[in-house]
Amino acid sequence: MTDTSSTPDTRTPAEIEADIRRRRETLAETLDEIGVRVHPKTIVGDARAKVVSNIDHTLGRAYVGVNRVVSEVKGQLVTEEGAPRLERIVPVALVVVGVVGLFALGSRRRRV
């Protein structure tokens, strides 16, 4: 702001009133904006949007990582022509069946 105490005000009363009216309107708009920004619904909505954005970003990164792992595993179990590599699939299947069997036995023993 400028110091107007040393310079005479040469505005007419109508100009002063118009200036006051403009400043009141600007102040009212500013207060309305502040009211909207600090309203609990606005704060909750902003927080929710930030959380959703972070979750989307995290899920996107997880999807890319899982997709990469799946592609690598698929590359190990399938030839470039798309035919299954039985010499690799059979041992993996046997390990999976063994692990499932161990879990089944473990849960069966806990029940008894």
Side-chain angles (χ1 to χ4, degrees):
M1 292 185 85
T2 59
D3 183 17
T4 58
S5 61
S6 63
T7 58
D9 194 357
T10 58
R11 297 180 294 168
T12 65
E15 291 173 332
I16 294 172
E17 288 177 5
D19 189 35
I20 291 172
R21 198 174 318 113
R22 277 193 307 272
R23 289 178 189 245
R24 281 184 182 159
E25 290 172 1
T26 303
L27 181 60
E29 290 174 8
T30 303
L31 289 174
D32 288 344
E33 286 180 26
I34 291 171
V36 168
R37 288 181 186 177
V38 300
H39 193 278
K41 286 184 180 180
T42 304
I43 293 170
V44 168
D46 291 347
R48 182 179 294 136
K50 188 173 182 179
V51 167
V52 167
S53 174
N54 287 339
I55 289 172
D56 285 347
H57 180 70
T58 302
L59 288 176
R61 288 180 32 207
Y63 175 79
V64 168
V66 168
N67 193 24
R68 184 180 312 122
V69 169
V70 168
S71 294
E72 290 173 4
V73 169
K74 183 180 176 185
Q76 296 295 319
L77 300 176
V78 179
T79 64
E80 291 180 12
E81 295 82 30
R85 293 183 176 176
L86 293 179
E87 70 277 1
R88 292 186 180 173
I89 292 175
V90 171
V92 170
L94 290 174
V95 168
V96 169
V97 169
V99 169
V100 170
L102 287 174
F103 279 125
L105 284 174
S107 66
R108 192 171 188 186
R109 286 183 184 170
R110 284 187 215 137
R111 289 187 201 159
V112 176

